[in-house]
Amino acid sequence: MRDDVSPDLPAPRRRRFLEYTGVLGASALVPPALAACSGPDSTNDTGDGGSGKDRTLTAVIGYGNDGSWDPTQTASAFAMAANNHIYEGLLDTDPISRAPYPALATEVPKDPNATSWRFTLREGATFHDGRPVGADDVVFVFDRILDPGTQTLAKGFFASWLEGVRKVGPRTVELTLRFPFPDGLSRLTLAKVMPEHVFSKPGAWDDAVKGLAVGSGPYRQVAHHPKSNTTFEAFAAYNGPRKPAFRRMNWLTIVDAAPRVAKISGSGAGAQIADNIPYANVARLEQSGLKVAGGAGMNNLFLMFNTRHKPFDDVRVRQALHYAVDREKMVRVALRGHGRPATSFLDEGNPGHRRARTVYGHDPDRARALLRAAGVKGLEVELLAVNVSWIVDCLPTIKSCWDAIGVETTLAPQETTAVFTKMDQKQDYQVVAAASNPNQFGLDADLIMHYNYGPGNLWMRYTRWAGHPVAERLFKDMERATREPDPARKRAMVQDCIDVVAEQAVLYPVVHNELMTAWDPDRLTGIRAQPYPGINLLQARWV
């Protein structure tokens, strides 16, 4: 069973323009796939393994490394995790708390509510090709992100609140904001600074999509073999805050669960850390001496309805199918306790969480009543689903619950790419079950809402709902919430929007689940399981 994550949804070029428009703009899926270095696609070679502190760290990533590697447009789990080791933003964020810290910049602005932020770059910072990092490189990247003629995923994180970026001196830049926006500080990690002399060349952005990566971070990419592995070496000239602890790293992409688990277990284990551990393997891995920890966050199974396909244009039908699902059973049986029924669009651990006005407890009688009120009888549903292993494990619960209220249900799990190719081609469908996790971009509720909702949003195009009067009002309310300066008032406004999203159930989570990471505690320390796909080794080291 494949374990491609929600972040690694479909095709390279198709997902190249993950558009965010409107308030924050919106929508990220994940695009799937230069070999930056030559080599056969099938190799998993790590080169000289070394010994002692110089030995190679081998990691297993449960997602494909053939998605877009362009930091301005990727939502690939593998690429985003890798780019956090290769590139730096002006500020970067702690992988768990998401608190910003100085990366290329020398300090965090003292006044988050100011409408201009000035940053001085770290003296002596250099790119992996030896060229110094300068203000021109920062302006170059932000100009691309803010360019109205260039559609990038990152545009949606910045365009609504960031007016522009200008060079003040060789190592100094100033960001001008449209209005006070303290949440923007943590979002600066999403604008990775890239060398203008490399990526301004014709075709360079295409090369970035395919895997070309040249940054100023603690590790430099030395080989990239799509569908196999990517290798990194410590960057000797790095003088930033988080020094490389490993001389060499080899990240293997193994999307199938069984070989991924096998690679980290047993006496002949070939890796020291792996993410995306299936729940069924947790106990056995712990018994073998590995540390297995979960990160609970926004990772979720959601139902997405085609509102142009009757009767799913009727909110009562959408609500009925949600009320029919026994979420507690799903958590108990499919997730083995590693999840919670959704009580809001936000997960319960999010700082902005509050129970939505509409919470879909298991209520089959109410589901039947809603179908009757909508005049729906003999409904037959094909549930199109991605074949991510934990999603597939959840599907039988959905089918049995829908069948129990008289809805004849056919399950149709397919390769993630195949599912979203149908969406991109605007093929007809009824309902989709898939996975999503906006936490890879951040924690703030405004960002998370815009991940899925917005007038030009990719997800909204999939649902065919953006032109509905309720949707149009929602998007306007979201824009007002983004601009609201008072934190308490803003939180209340965002919650109002979440209540609408919950009630309408056009695209809405069923459960939020944990993502499991396993590692060898006798060899590695400083590991923290994160609640979004991938790993972060910037504070890890050999024991």
Side-chain angles (χ1 to χ4, degrees), residues 5 21 25 34 82 192 209 226 292 301 321 327 424 450 452 463 543:
V5 268
T21 58
L34 185 144
K192 299 301 187 187
V209 169
V292 185
L301 179 155
L321 294 181
R327 288 160 166 77
D424 292 332
H450 284 91
N452 286 121
T463 64
V543 172

Side-chain angles (χ1 to χ4, degrees), residues 465-517:
W465 189 63
H468 191 281
V470 174
E472 292 176 345
R473 288 196 301 272
L474 171 67
F475 302 151
K476 291 177 181 177
D477 289 342
M478 289 170 64
E479 182 172 4
R480 284 192 286 269
T482 297
R483 293 175 173 270
E484 173 57 47
D486 179 76
R489 176 63 183 150
K490 177 173 183 171
R491 179 170 176 170
M493 293 170 71
V494 172
Q495 182 60 48
D496 288 343
C497 294
I498 290 174
D499 286 341
V500 173
V501 164
E503 180 184 53
Q504 292 295 311
V506 171
L507 186 157
Y508 198 71
V510 176
V511 291
H512 292 104
N513 70 311
E514 286 185 289
L515 293 175
M516 311 303 291
T517 302

Side-chain angles (χ1 to χ4, degrees), residues 301 303 330 334 383-401 409 411-414 433-434:
L301 179 155
L303 295 177
M330 184 179 290
L383 180 60
L384 185 63
V386 300
N387 67 344
V388 176
S389 60
W390 71 271
I391 295 287
V392 172
D393 291 342
C394 291
L395 296 181
T397 299
I398 298 177
K399 174 176 168 54
S400 65
C401 291
T409 309
L411 300 178
Q414 300 178 17

Side-chain angles (χ1 to χ4, degrees), residues 6-279:
S6 61
D8 280 313
L9 293 180
R13 303 296 171 143
R14 193 165 12 107
R15 208 42 52 76
R16 198 165 166 190
F17 303 111
L18 287 174
E19 302 168 33
Y20 271 67
T21 58
V23 188
L24 186 151
S27 148
L29 262 141
V30 274
L34 185 144
C37 300
S38 60
D41 286 354
S42 60
T43 184
N44 278 334
D45 293 344
T46 64
D48 179 10
S51 61
K53 299 296 183 183
D54 287 336
R55 64 189 181 277
T56 296
L57 179 141
T58 301
V60 182
I61 309 298
Y63 314 111
N65 73 338
D66 58 346
S68 170
W69 282 64
D70 174 358
T72 71
Q73 66 137 6
T74 190
S76 160
F78 192 114
M80 286 190 71
N83 283 344
N84 285 333
H85 297 73
I86 296 169
Y87 292 98
E88 298 176 281
L90 291 169
L91 305 179
D92 282 328
T93 59
D94 180 86
I96 307 301
S97 72
R98 312 311 279 267
Y101 65 87
L104 267 174
T106 56
E107 63 179 358
V108 177
K110 293 180 175 57
D111 184 4
N113 290 295
T115 53
S116 67
W117 294 328
R118 185 167 290 201
F119 295 95
T120 299
L121 304 183
R122 185 176 72 240
E123 187 172 2
T126 58
F127 289 113
H128 297 155
D129 61 2
R131 296 276 289 271
V133 182
D136 289 329
D137 301 299
V138 178
V139 173
F140 167 71
V141 169
F142 277 102
D143 279 353
R144 171 175 168 80
I145 291 172
L146 297 175
D147 179 6
T150 303
Q151 290 299 332
T152 62
L153 176 60
K155 179 186 269 75
F157 300 124
F158 295 96
S160 66
W161 58 272
L162 183 60
E163 179 71 33
V165 179
R166 70 183 183 94
K167 176 180 178 180
V168 177
R171 291 190 299 112
T172 305
V173 296
E174 185 174 76
L175 277 61
T176 302
L177 282 62
R178 299 180 189 276
F179 47 85
F181 193 70
D183 288 337
L185 291 176
S186 61
R187 294 190 192 183
L188 292 180
T189 188
L190 301 172
K192 299 301 187 187
V193 177
M194 306 170 74
E196 181 180 17
H197 66 274
V198 172
F199 291 100
S200 62
K201 294 179 180 177
W205 290 112
D206 289 336
D207 291 341
V209 169
K210 298 172 186 175
L212 175 65
V214 181
S216 61
Y219 293 94
R220 65 186 187 94
Q221 183 200 78
V222 293
H224 176 57
H225 306 293
K227 301 184 182 301
S228 173
N229 68 307
T230 303
T231 58
F232 313 83
E233 284 185 352
F235 179 41
Y238 177 74
N239 67 346
R242 300 203 168 174
K243 310 293 184 186
F246 308 105
R247 183 185 67 85
R248 187 176 178 91
M249 299 192 298
N250 186 43
W251 290 17
L252 311 178
T253 169
I254 304 179
V255 298
D256 292 339
R260 182 168 66 255
V261 171
K263 194 70 176 180
I264 196 174
S265 58
S267 57
Q272 296 82 46
I273 183 171
D275 76 342
N276 200 16
I277 298 298
Y279 304 125

Side-chain angles (χ1 to χ4, degrees), residues 332-351:
R332 185 175 65 255
V333 175
L335 304 182
R336 303 192 180 214
H338 295 282
R340 290 183 177 181
T343 58
S344 167
F345 196 82
L346 302 177
D347 66 282
E348 293 187 8
N350 187 283

